[in-house]
Amino acid sequence: MDRLGFLVEEVEALKEQGLYNTIRTIASAQGAWFEVDGRRVLNLCSNNYLGFADHPRLKAAAKRAIDAFGVGPGAVRSISGTQSLHLELEQRLATFKGTEATILLQAGFSANLAVLPLLVGPEDVIFSDELNHASIIDGCRLSRAKVVRYTHSDPDSLRQQLADHSQARRRLVVTDGVFSMDGDIAPLPALLEVAAEFDALTMVDDAHGEGVMGAGGRGIVDHYGLVGRIDVEVGTLSKAFGVMGGFVSGSAALIEYMKQRGRPFLFSTGLTPADTGAALEAVKILEESDEPVRRLWENTHYFRSGLKALGFDTGHSGTPIIPVMVGDARQSAELSRRLFAGRVFAQSIAFPTVPRGKARIRVMNSAVHSREDLDFALAGFEKAGRELGLI
Ligand SMILES: Cc1ncc(COP(=O)(O)O)c(C=O)c1O
């Protein structure tokens, strides 16, 4: 008897509903163009916002780190795996973000899992934006606090929910900085104001704002001029920083406690020397010049206005993440397939990553694209969009 047969049925059901995730194979470095399933295609779906994933300085730094420290840290950081390179990167990131301290985790996902259960427990309430990332949702579940979802980016909904739960021992308001599927930006100042009315803790996950928003890519908190006023900032090294890893920035007390009790810190090995050395180099580049960030935004503005001029619905995006709204999952998958046939790789996103009926092509802009690349992509969107009657 096949006890796992139900999984095969589940996969078949996904295929029937147009929700099956086709995972393509990449045979070259991330860049403006790369090799996918044997074809050279324009890359419009990577989080490599600044081109750092294949940057010569990051690659050289990774090699130097391997030469000095080897390929693995050897143990969890609390036993014998904390290398001087980890401490150097933590210090540098804290300075870059304008916070007292920073702790590195293995990924942005683990950063959320690490910090949320330390802030709140069963006697507390978390107020979570209804569109928050899966890693926030999972971190909330691990904390065993009551979770209340407020209407997306709506301070009035948040105020109502806080008023309804004012008796909790602690209240925590948590939001994505940039929403990863819509590219819209959380109204942090208004959320912070409401949180202050109820003496609630505040936390922002800035995975898509790091290296993208704020002065020289310092993130959404800097963008709004709120440095020092958010209790917990989660970041990732896996997107604009081009590498792999996550971090939490905040007060010295928060970071000290995370080193004592953060489970992914204590029970899972830390970042590799190559990741750490390369990420350190990324911070140095951003400190030296805002040129990569400026190029990213120039490309973003050009591409978004090009899509709009063609008649596409680009939702509420205010960042380099641009959703091209389609609605039906099958039609969105077909648009992605036709784009790929024209050598433009832009991924279709459907349920459960976004709500049912809100399927879209998610375009990721990058500083590495030339104007010719963007015009090529717009021509591809125009052709496929017309064929499918979307424009
Ligand atoms: C808002 C948000 N938080 C966390 C993560 C996870 O980051 P990482 O890929 O470093 O685990 C992502 C990535 O998709 C994200 O969009």
Side-chain angles (χ1 to χ4, degrees), residues 107-109 112 133 135 176 180 205 207-208 236 238-239 245:
F109 204 108
N112 279 321
H133 188 259
S135 54
D176 277 17
S180 54
D205 174 347
H208 288 277
T236 178
S238 328
K239 303 188 193 299

Side-chain angles (χ1 to χ4, degrees), residues 366-389:
S366 171
V368 292
H369 294 129
S370 66
R371 200 44 67 88
E372 293 72 41
D373 294 334
L374 298 179
D375 287 338
F376 180 85
L378 287 170
F381 266 97
E382 182 173 17
K383 178 170 181 295
R386 287 200 197 292
E387 284 166 3
L388 293 174

Side-chain angles (χ1 to χ4, degrees), residues 171-188:
R171 290 156 294 283
L172 167 68
V173 176
V174 58
T175 182
D176 277 17
V178 173
F179 289 85
S180 54
M181 293 299 139
D182 292 87
D184 56 330
I185 305 166
L188 265 197

